Amino acid sequence: MAKIYIAGCGGMLGEAFYHTFRDDHELRCTDKDVNEEWLTFLDFRDLDAYREDVARFKPDFLFHLGAYTSLEYCEENIDDAYLTNTTSVENATYIANELGIPMLYISTAGIFDGSQDTFDDWDRPNPMGHYARSKYMGELFVTQNVREHLVCRAGWMMGGGPRKDKKFIQKLMKQLKEGKTELNVVHDKLGTPTYTFDFARSVKALMEKRYWGLYNMVCEGVTSRLEVAEQLVIELGIADQVKVNPVSSDFFKAEFFAPRPDSERLINRKLHLRGLNTMSDWRIALKAYLDRDYRDYL
């Protein structure tokens, strides 16, 4: 079996990668937060430790997943943001090149500035804040320095369930579990959800075909935060019990003060052209996520 080293595997995306690849690959999964029995400790910001651990495993592929994804944290902790989201990615490229192996890096729809409604794989990014800038600098470094690379851009991530999901769906589910009967949701932010298991399966397909390069990789169907929330309560069967109130982004500006694009909707143009666009419609993916991770939550 081919061997894959997965760094930063302790989060919502890492869980999907572990379950997607474990049956037909030998894995070494590491993170600085060891929250699963299949994880071991590694802080990938430490180049020497990273290099030594990967070299000892002798993998055929290096997957670099981890990042700080809180925009507010990155705005308030700028050096830590770049150490974690940029220079650690440079560490990974050094190691992949030293071993002569392909590398996967996860980028984000957030690198665009919202100046147009949708963005395909070849539109030019223009990051607005330190999170987006740190991720885009990682993307650039990988594409410019690793010959056999996959750089895959995710949108609004869904996955991991109550324990690992720190994103939009869990924030809404937490409010519902607390008994809230009204949800305030912004109506002026547009994007594309991304189910972690769909994402991991699409990476696997590209890897097996060895179609290296940069890809948008989001669920099909452009949408908004408001529409996702409305669909969530429908899927949960509580649309008659919970009111979803549309509000502007200014409503949350004290809590979510980092700059965000009005639209970060991605189009999987390149996956489609390659004949490998198997990403689900976001509504189907949302239902699959709820069925898998939230069956007995409320």
Side-chain angles (χ1 to χ4, degrees):
M1 290 193 292
K3 300 169 71 174
I4 306 174
Y5 189 104
I6 310 181
C9 197
M12 59 198 296
L13 189 56
E15 180 193 43
F17 270 83
Y18 171 75
H19 288 289
T20 299
F21 284 89
R22 66 176 178 174
D23 290 339
D24 47 8
H25 294 81
E26 183 180 348
L27 304 180
R28 180 165 176 79
C29 303
T30 63
D31 200 285
K32 66 185 180 72
D33 178 14
V34 180
N35 54 52
E36 302 281 1
E37 62 180 12
W38 40 266
L39 284 169
T40 54
F41 177 82
L42 179 90
D43 184 343
F44 53 44
R45 295 170 296 189
D46 182 338
L47 174 57
D48 291 338
Y50 197 0
R51 175 184 279 132
E52 181 181 347
D53 204 51
V54 176
R56 187 185 305 117
F57 184 60
K58 299 178 181 177
D60 301 290
F61 302 90
L62 174 58
F63 290 3
H64 187 94
L65 304 187
Y68 281 134
T69 60
S70 165
L71 276 66
E72 279 63 42
Y73 181 88
C74 291
E75 288 298 313
E76 293 183 324
N77 301 273
I78 296 172
D79 285 352
D80 202 16
Y82 287 102
L83 278 170
T84 302
N85 294 355
T86 310
T87 60
S88 71
V89 181
E90 295 177 5
N91 292 346
T93 67
Y94 303 154
I95 296 164
N97 285 340
E98 287 164 7
L99 298 178
I101 59 175
M103 176 186 163
L104 167 70
Y105 169 68
I106 312 303
S107 191
T108 172
I111 62 177
F112 293 100
D113 61 7
S115 60
Q116 56 198 63
D117 185 57
T118 60
F119 300 86
D120 71 14
D121 314 68
W122 294 289
D123 280 312
R124 186 179 296 278
N126 184 29
M128 296 176 64
H130 287 292
Y131 165 71
R133 188 165 175 254
S134 67
K135 291 295 291 180
Y136 182 48
M137 291 302 103
E139 175 180 302
L140 282 179
F141 200 84
V142 174
T143 57
Q144 293 171 357
N145 290 283
V146 181
R147 186 172 68 87
E148 293 182 329
H149 64 261
L150 283 175
V151 172
C152 299
R153 295 173 178 153
W156 295 339
M157 202 73 82
M158 306 187 298
R163 198 160 62 88
K164 294 191 176 185
D165 187 344
K166 300 176 182 178
K167 297 298 183 178
F168 185 61
I169 297 300
Q170 171 56 20
K171 288 177 181 178
L172 295 180
M173 292 297 291
K174 183 174 182 292
Q175 292 180 62
L176 293 172
K177 189 174 180 65
E178 291 168 351
K180 299 288 179 61
T181 57
E182 293 193 28
L183 299 174
N184 296 315
V185 180
V186 294
H187 62 72
D188 52 7
K189 288 292 181 278
L190 312 176
T192 33
T194 304
Y195 185 33
T196 55
F197 277 86
D198 279 358
F199 190 94
R201 286 188 288 264
S202 292
V203 166
K204 190 175 185 182
L206 288 172
M207 192 178 83
E208 289 172 349
K209 291 283 189 180
R210 303 184 80 82
Y211 285 166
W212 311 122
L214 185 151
Y215 293 85
N216 288 353
M217 193 173 287
V218 297
C219 287
E220 288 296 298
V222 293
T223 187
S224 66
R225 293 287 192 195
L226 180 63
E227 188 179 13
V228 172
E230 291 171 339
Q231 186 66 28
L232 175 68
V233 296
I234 290 171
E235 290 293 345
L236 294 171
I238 56 173
D240 59 339
Q241 304 165 43
V242 175
K243 183 181 179 184
V244 179
N245 299 318
V247 299
S248 75
S249 293
D250 285 345
F251 186 88
F252 293 108
K253 64 182 180 181
E255 182 179 0
F256 299 110
F257 53 83
R260 286 169 167 81
D262 291 336
S263 176
E264 47 189 303
R265 290 170 164 174
L266 297 188
I267 301 295
N268 299 330
R269 190 178 305 280
K270 194 171 172 185
L271 279 178
H272 175 72
L273 292 173
R274 287 290 191 189
L276 287 176
N277 188 16
T278 59
M279 297 295 287
S280 305
D281 180 90
W282 70 266
R283 297 169 188 84
I284 295 172
L286 175 60
K287 184 180 188 306
Y289 179 34
L290 295 175
D291 287 346
R292 183 185 189 277
D293 288 283
Y294 287 98
R295 187 178 300 274
D296 301 311
Y297 183 71
L298 296 180

